[in-house]
Structure formats: structure tokens, C-alpha cells
Amino acid sequence: MAGRSTYEELEQRVKELEKEAAQRKQAEKALRESEEKCRTVLEANPDPVVVYDKEGKVIYFNPAFTRVLGWTLEECFGKQMDVFVPEEDWPETKKMIGKVLTGERLSGFETHRYTKEGNIIPVSISGAIYRDWNGGLVGSVINLRDISEQKRLESQLIQAHKMEAIATIAGGIAHEFNNTLVGIIGNIDLLQMNFPDDEIISKYIKVMKASSLRMVDLTNKLLAYAREGKYQSKIISINDVVRDTLSLIRHTINSSIQVETDLPRDISDIKADLTQMQMVLSAMLSNASEAIEDQGRIRIITREEEIDEEYAKNHSGLKPGYYVCLMVEDDGRGMDEETRSKVFEPFFTTKHHGRGLGMAAAYGIIKNHDGWISVDSELGKGAVARIYLPAVKVKDKEKETEGNRLQRLSF
């Protein structure tokens, strides 16, 4: 009986061990599947993800980390990633690490990180620690979202709001100037009428009138910036605008500066005020020539472009559609980002003299023509000013031509 009992106990124990082995095998399979799912999720994540051990050493990068930041897992495995934290961001980063290690989940922490190439990009960081089966700290998982595009769009929006606010103020000042100038110029004309033969008075009247007319020009530029100027739009050729404007102002550009044009014949027309367009191009050329300190080159280029939704989304104020593009390139000293961001502000100038209203007026004029204007530049690399104006459709052009013909017949 004792032998039988021992045999049955052994048999029972074998069954229990087989059951435990089967359960362990099933658990291992489930763990492998879970790990595979986690890896699939991490590798499919468009944001960079880095996994650290409890000592802060890298044990995993997802492909997005390499794509965005440049480092591969082979380069950094078992190492700490101090190298990609800019010095000025270390204090906040240390606080973030401390919070994560205490078990606090982190979300939306904005800071900066270096790429392998040495560029600094803004990132939004989310992260948490992970533990073993016994609750012990194993490491941390950190998600870094590149928010460069978001920051760029935010900057564009802030700049657009600032420009609108300044335009409102400029418009109010211009109207006040106009009201005052009407009285001043009117009285100057009366003086001239009452003392036509007085040479001394005429001499002073001439100076006063010249100063008043300069103020009128200043006021008109302020109104143009505020998008309140008077416009007489008609269908015109952008290439003709370039040629006519160059013939008027070429003598004002330093003779050591070479001016080149690239004006294809098959460019669509635009509907715009000719005088205002000449003012815009004059401002762009003046800005370009002033950036060239000695010898240099300015290129004026016209093109026809289709703006798609993706491009328009990344350029605030620009709508999808067909446009005529006018570009003015120079190889001058260029501008840093701070200077470039202020180029359309009234009275902003990099010169020691001058009123700095030309580009501000150009901004208002182009906006009032449902267009878009920008300047791209880097220090030492020149600048490119671009304007986009809606291309006139053939049907619209035929309608206006027919309207003009009927108007002439009616006279």
C-alpha cells in the first residue's frame, strides 16, 4: 500500500509539473507576443522614442529617433545621451528626469535637443518609468516629438497679428496726417496766390510746399501699409511692370551692381494697380541694392506657379491656386532672423538714415491685392524677396477686354 501511495504522489507531482511547464510556456509565448506588439507600436511611432535602463543608459531607439535626430542604436547602446541636451536646457532637463524617476508621468514638456549634425530643434517630451514583475525600477521610456513645424506656424501667426495691429495704428496716424496736411497745403496755396510777385515769400513757400509733399508721400505709404490706399486695378503684365519700373529707377541703383532679368514670355497676367506694383518693385529693388556694399548682382525673375494645399498650409496667408510669382534676388550681406522678421514693419531700417517705409508699403499693397509677400535671407548669403499675385484666368481676361471695348463704344 505504501508503494502504491508513493507512486500516486509521484504521478500527481509529474502532472503538476507538466501543468506548470505548459503554463510557463504559455506565459512565455504571451510575453513574446506582448514584446512583439510593443516593438511594433514603438517602431511604427512617427515620434522618436528612446528607452533607458535605470542608470540612464540607452537600450533602445525606434527608427524615428534615427530619422529625426540622426543617431543609430549601435552608436549609442549602453551610453548616456548627455550629448544631445543643449547646455542651457540642462537645468530644466534635470528637473524633468527627477520627476520621471519618482514615478510621475510627464507629458508635453517643451525643450530643445541637438541632432547629430549639430542643429537644435524644439521638442515636446512625454515619458514614464517602467517596472519589473516585483515592482522594481527597470528604466524609462521617453517620447520626443519634433515641434519645429508647430513653432514655425505659431511664429507666423504671431507675426501676422502683430502686422495687423501695427497696420491699424498706421492707418489712424495717416488719416490724422492727411487732415492736417489738407489745411497746411491749402494755406500755402493761398499765400502763393496772394503774394505771386514776392520773391522772398515765394522762396519760403517753395520749401514749405516741398516738405508738405514729402509728408503726403509718407502718408500715402502709411495708407498703403494699412491697406487703405486708393487702387485702380486692371489687367496688366507683370513682365511689363518689371521693364517699365527698371527704366524709371535704374539710374538710382549703383552702377557697380549688375541687374539681370529672367522674364519668360508665357506668364499669365495679373489684376493690379500699375502704380502700386511699380512702388512694390521699387521698394524690393531699393532693399536689394542697399544690401550690396560694393559690387554685386540683382536678379529679377517672374514665374507662374500652382500653390497646393500643403504648401499653403505651411505659409500663413497664402491660399491654394494659380499665382504669378515675382522674385528679386541679391547677393548682398543678408540678414539674421531677427532682422528678417522685422523687414515689413513701418520705420524699421538697417540704415542709419531713411524712413524705412518702402517694404512696409509693399506688404500692405500686396495684401490688398489678395497676394502674399515674403523675404528669405541668411547672413552672408544674400536675400530673396518673393511676391505671389493671383494669376488672371483667360475667361476673366476676356470679360474685362469685352467690358473695356463696350465702354469705349459708349463714348
Side-chain angles (χ1 to χ4, degrees), residues 361-387:
Y363 176 88
I365 291 168
I366 296 304
K367 287 289 184 180
N368 221 27
H369 282 79
D370 295 324
W372 190 77
I373 182 169
S374 70
V375 174
D376 294 317
S377 181
E378 289 184 43
L379 273 177
K381 295 186 178 180
V384 182
R386 292 181 179 86
I387 65 170

mmCIF file of all heavy atoms in Angstrom, residues 361-387:
data_model
loop_
_atom_site.group_PDB
_atom_site.id
_atom_site.type_symbol
_atom_site.label_atom_id
_atom_site.label_comp_id
_atom_site.label_asym_id
_atom_site.label_seq_id
_atom_site.Cartn_x
_atom_site.Cartn_y
_atom_site.Cartn_z
ATOM 1 N N ALA A 361 5.100 99.498 -47.018
ATOM 2 C CA ALA A 361 4.076 99.838 -48.007
ATOM 3 C C ALA A 361 3.855 98.683 -48.976
ATOM 4 O O ALA A 361 2.717 98.356 -49.335
ATOM 5 C CB ALA A 361 4.473 101.103 -48.767
ATOM 6 N N ALA A 362 4.953 98.028 -49.386
ATOM 7 C CA ALA A 362 4.845 96.878 -50.298
ATOM 8 C C ALA A 362 4.008 95.774 -49.670
ATOM 9 O O ALA A 362 3.170 95.151 -50.343
ATOM 10 C CB ALA A 362 6.240 96.359 -50.648
ATOM 11 N N TYR A 363 4.214 95.523 -48.385
ATOM 12 C CA TYR A 363 3.453 94.496 -47.666
ATOM 13 C C TYR A 363 1.946 94.790 -47.740
ATOM 14 O O TYR A 363 1.135 93.919 -48.069
ATOM 15 C CB TYR A 363 3.916 94.457 -46.208
ATOM 16 C CG TYR A 363 3.133 93.502 -45.332
ATOM 17 C CD1 TYR A 363 3.508 92.172 -45.222
ATOM 18 C CD2 TYR A 363 2.015 93.926 -44.610
ATOM 19 C CE1 TYR A 363 2.800 91.287 -44.417
ATOM 20 C CE2 TYR A 363 1.301 93.052 -43.807
ATOM 21 C CZ TYR A 363 1.690 91.741 -43.706
ATOM 22 O OH TYR A 363 0.976 90.879 -42.919
ATOM 23 N N GLY A 364 1.575 96.041 -47.436
ATOM 24 C CA GLY A 364 0.159 96.403 -47.459
ATOM 25 C C GLY A 364 -0.448 96.323 -48.841
ATOM 26 O O GLY A 364 -1.579 95.864 -49.020
ATOM 27 N N ILE A 365 0.312 96.772 -49.845
ATOM 28 C CA ILE A 365 -0.185 96.753 -51.225
ATOM 29 C C ILE A 365 -0.449 95.323 -51.689
ATOM 30 O O ILE A 365 -1.512 95.016 -52.253
ATOM 31 C CB ILE A 365 0.821 97.457 -52.166
ATOM 32 C CG1 ILE A 365 0.850 98.963 -51.887
ATOM 33 C CG2 ILE A 365 0.472 97.190 -53.631
ATOM 34 C CD1 ILE A 365 2.001 99.688 -52.556
ATOM 35 N N ILE A 366 0.510 94.441 -51.454
ATOM 36 C CA ILE A 366 0.352 93.046 -51.894
ATOM 37 C C ILE A 366 -0.802 92.377 -51.160
ATOM 38 O O ILE A 366 -1.605 91.646 -51.762
ATOM 39 C CB ILE A 366 1.664 92.263 -51.701
ATOM 40 C CG1 ILE A 366 2.770 92.842 -52.586
ATOM 41 C CG2 ILE A 366 1.456 90.787 -52.020
ATOM 42 C CD1 ILE A 366 2.433 92.887 -54.064
ATOM 43 N N LYS A 367 -0.927 92.605 -49.862
ATOM 44 C CA LYS A 367 -2.041 92.048 -49.100
ATOM 45 C C LYS A 367 -3.371 92.547 -49.650
ATOM 46 O O LYS A 367 -4.362 91.803 -49.716
ATOM 47 C CB LYS A 367 -1.913 92.417 -47.617
ATOM 48 C CG LYS A 367 -0.824 91.659 -46.877
ATOM 49 C CD LYS A 367 -1.213 90.202 -46.691
ATOM 50 C CE LYS A 367 -0.196 89.445 -45.872
ATOM 51 N NZ LYS A 367 -0.565 88.029 -45.685
ATOM 52 N N ASN A 368 -3.421 93.812 -50.042
ATOM 53 C CA ASN A 368 -4.664 94.388 -50.561
ATOM 54 C C ASN A 368 -5.005 93.858 -51.954
ATOM 55 O O ASN A 368 -6.126 94.018 -52.422
ATOM 56 C CB ASN A 368 -4.558 95.913 -50.600
ATOM 57 C CG ASN A 368 -5.836 96.586 -50.161
ATOM 58 O OD1 ASN A 368 -6.615 96.038 -49.385
ATOM 59 N ND2 ASN A 368 -6.079 97.785 -50.666
ATOM 60 N N HIS A 369 -4.034 93.249 -52.611
ATOM 61 C CA HIS A 369 -4.269 92.622 -53.920
ATOM 62 C C HIS A 369 -4.468 91.109 -53.776
ATOM 63 O O HIS A 369 -4.329 90.366 -54.747
ATOM 64 C CB HIS A 369 -3.092 92.899 -54.855
ATOM 65 C CG HIS A 369 -3.085 94.275 -55.453
ATOM 66 N ND1 HIS A 369 -2.657 95.391 -54.764
ATOM 67 C CD2 HIS A 369 -3.493 94.728 -56.676
ATOM 68 C CE1 HIS A 369 -2.757 96.453 -55.544
ATOM 69 N NE2 HIS A 369 -3.259 96.077 -56.704
ATOM 70 N N ASP A 370 -4.799 90.658 -52.547
ATOM 71 C CA ASP A 370 -5.006 89.228 -52.268
ATOM 72 C C ASP A 370 -3.759 88.404 -52.581
ATOM 73 O O ASP A 370 -3.845 87.236 -52.977
ATOM 74 C CB ASP A 370 -6.200 88.677 -53.068
ATOM 75 C CG ASP A 370 -7.508 89.321 -52.641
ATOM 76 O OD1 ASP A 370 -7.657 89.599 -51.431
ATOM 77 O OD2 ASP A 370 -8.360 89.569 -53.510
ATOM 78 N N GLY A 371 -2.612 89.040 -52.399
ATOM 79 C CA GLY A 371 -1.351 88.352 -52.663
ATOM 80 C C GLY A 371 -0.608 88.001 -51.390
ATOM 81 O O GLY A 371 -1.148 88.088 -50.275
ATOM 82 N N TRP A 372 0.631 87.603 -51.553
ATOM 83 C CA TRP A 372 1.467 87.152 -50.432
ATOM 84 C C TRP A 372 2.888 87.603 -50.701
ATOM 85 O O TRP A 372 3.362 87.569 -51.835
ATOM 86 C CB TRP A 372 1.391 85.633 -50.341
ATOM 87 C CG TRP A 372 2.001 85.043 -49.104
ATOM 88 C CD1 TRP A 372 1.480 85.015 -47.842
ATOM 89 C CD2 TRP A 372 3.265 84.373 -49.014
ATOM 90 N NE1 TRP A 372 2.330 84.357 -46.972
ATOM 91 C CE2 TRP A 372 3.436 83.952 -47.666
ATOM 92 C CE3 TRP A 372 4.274 84.074 -49.934
ATOM 93 C CZ2 TRP A 372 4.562 83.264 -47.225
ATOM 94 C CZ3 TRP A 372 5.395 83.385 -49.492
ATOM 95 C CH2 TRP A 372 5.525 82.986 -48.157
ATOM 96 N N ILE A 373 3.578 88.061 -49.677
ATOM 97 C CA ILE A 373 4.942 88.573 -49.829
ATOM 98 C C ILE A 373 5.813 88.027 -48.709
ATOM 99 O O ILE A 373 5.347 87.872 -47.569
ATOM 100 C CB ILE A 373 4.952 90.120 -49.848
ATOM 101 C CG1 ILE A 373 6.371 90.663 -50.056
ATOM 102 C CG2 ILE A 373 4.336 90.691 -48.573
ATOM 103 C CD1 ILE A 373 6.423 92.153 -50.354
ATOM 104 N N SER A 374 7.056 87.692 -49.039
ATOM 105 C CA SER A 374 7.974 87.174 -48.024
ATOM 106 C C SER A 374 9.402 87.531 -48.404
ATOM 107 O O SER A 374 9.705 87.843 -49.566
ATOM 108 C CB SER A 374 7.852 85.657 -47.890
ATOM 109 O OG SER A 374 8.381 85.024 -49.044
ATOM 110 N N VAL A 375 10.288 87.482 -47.406
ATOM 111 C CA VAL A 375 11.724 87.668 -47.639
ATOM 112 C C VAL A 375 12.461 86.543 -46.909
ATOM 113 O O VAL A 375 12.238 86.324 -45.720
ATOM 114 C CB VAL A 375 12.219 89.031 -47.125
ATOM 115 C CG1 VAL A 375 13.739 89.119 -47.248
ATOM 116 C CG2 VAL A 375 11.576 90.171 -47.900
ATOM 117 N N ASP A 376 13.302 85.816 -47.637
ATOM 118 C CA ASP A 376 14.152 84.785 -47.043
ATOM 119 C C ASP A 376 15.592 85.252 -47.135
ATOM 120 O O ASP A 376 16.026 85.765 -48.176
ATOM 121 C CB ASP A 376 13.995 83.453 -47.784
ATOM 122 C CG ASP A 376 12.601 82.868 -47.621
ATOM 123 O OD1 ASP A 376 12.085 82.909 -46.496
ATOM 124 O OD2 ASP A 376 12.035 82.397 -48.621
ATOM 125 N N SER A 377 16.340 85.070 -46.030
ATOM 126 C CA SER A 377 17.713 85.554 -46.028
ATOM 127 C C SER A 377 18.523 84.884 -44.928
ATOM 128 O O SER A 377 17.976 84.424 -43.923
ATOM 129 C CB SER A 377 17.730 87.080 -45.835
ATOM 130 O OG SER A 377 19.048 87.575 -45.862
ATOM 131 N N GLU A 378 19.829 84.838 -45.136
ATOM 132 C CA GLU A 378 20.790 84.413 -44.123
ATOM 133 C C GLU A 378 21.979 85.356 -44.192
ATOM 134 O O GLU A 378 22.313 85.876 -45.264
ATOM 135 C CB GLU A 378 21.254 82.978 -44.370
ATOM 136 C CG GLU A 378 20.232 81.910 -44.096
ATOM 137 C CD GLU A 378 20.815 80.511 -44.281
ATOM 138 O OE1 GLU A 378 21.954 80.285 -43.820
ATOM 139 O OE2 GLU A 378 20.135 79.672 -44.897
ATOM 140 N N LEU A 379 22.604 85.584 -43.054
ATOM 141 C CA LEU A 379 23.779 86.454 -43.025
ATOM 142 C C LEU A 379 24.858 85.936 -43.964
ATOM 143 O O LEU A 379 25.207 84.759 -43.941
ATOM 144 C CB LEU A 379 24.338 86.543 -41.605
ATOM 145 C CG LEU A 379 23.739 87.628 -40.694
ATOM 146 C CD1 LEU A 379 24.350 87.541 -39.307
ATOM 147 C CD2 LEU A 379 23.954 89.017 -41.272
ATOM 148 N N GLY A 380 25.337 86.840 -44.816
ATOM 149 C CA GLY A 380 26.407 86.483 -45.732
ATOM 150 C C GLY A 380 25.974 85.715 -46.958
ATOM 151 O O GLY A 380 26.797 85.365 -47.797
ATOM 152 N N LYS A 381 24.653 85.464 -47.089
ATOM 153 C CA LYS A 381 24.170 84.653 -48.211
ATOM 154 C C LYS A 381 23.119 85.366 -49.058
ATOM 155 O O LYS A 381 22.385 84.730 -49.806
ATOM 156 C CB LYS A 381 23.609 83.324 -47.696
ATOM 157 C CG LYS A 381 24.656 82.436 -47.058
ATOM 158 C CD LYS A 381 24.088 81.085 -46.695
ATOM 159 C CE LYS A 381 25.147 80.164 -46.092
ATOM 160 N NZ LYS A 381 24.607 78.836 -45.740
ATOM 161 N N GLY A 382 23.034 86.691 -48.922
ATOM 162 C CA GLY A 382 22.079 87.426 -49.733
ATOM 163 C C GLY A 382 20.646 87.247 -49.266
ATOM 164 O O GLY A 382 20.385 86.769 -48.158
ATOM 165 N N ALA A 383 19.703 87.632 -50.134
ATOM 166 C CA ALA A 383 18.282 87.559 -49.780
ATOM 167 C C ALA A 383 17.442 87.325 -51.031
ATOM 168 O O ALA A 383 17.867 87.619 -52.152
ATOM 169 C CB ALA A 383 17.838 88.840 -49.083
ATOM 170 N N VAL A 384 16.261 86.772 -50.818
ATOM 171 C CA VAL A 384 15.284 86.579 -51.897
ATOM 172 C C VAL A 384 13.941 87.104 -51.419
ATOM 173 O O VAL A 384 13.401 86.622 -50.421
ATOM 174 C CB VAL A 384 15.133 85.088 -52.286
ATOM 175 C CG1 VAL A 384 14.157 84.957 -53.445
ATOM 176 C CG2 VAL A 384 16.471 84.475 -52.637
ATOM 177 N N ALA A 385 13.427 88.118 -52.117
ATOM 178 C CA ALA A 385 12.085 88.636 -51.831
ATOM 179 C C ALA A 385 11.133 88.049 -52.858
ATOM 180 O O ALA A 385 11.430 88.046 -54.065
ATOM 181 C CB ALA A 385 12.072 90.155 -51.885
ATOM 182 N N ARG A 386 10.000 87.532 -52.386
ATOM 183 C CA ARG A 386 9.018 86.909 -53.284
ATOM 184 C C ARG A 386 7.650 87.537 -53.074
ATOM 185 O O ARG A 386 7.248 87.778 -51.939
ATOM 186 C CB ARG A 386 8.897 85.413 -53.019
ATOM 187 C CG ARG A 386 10.105 84.586 -53.384
ATOM 188 C CD ARG A 386 9.830 83.114 -53.098
ATOM 189 N NE ARG A 386 10.957 82.257 -53.462
ATOM 190 C CZ ARG A 386 11.997 82.000 -52.675
ATOM 191 N NH1 ARG A 386 12.026 82.541 -51.462
ATOM 192 N NH2 ARG A 386 12.977 81.229 -53.075
ATOM 193 N N ILE A 387 6.950 87.779 -54.175
ATOM 194 C CA ILE A 387 5.538 88.135 -54.065
ATOM 195 C C ILE A 387 4.740 87.183 -54.959
ATOM 196 O O ILE A 387 5.198 86.780 -56.032
ATOM 197 C CB ILE A 387 5.250 89.606 -54.440
ATOM 198 C CG1 ILE A 387 5.547 89.881 -55.919
ATOM 199 C CG2 ILE A 387 5.997 90.569 -53.545
ATOM 200 C CD1 ILE A 387 5.067 91.237 -56.384
#
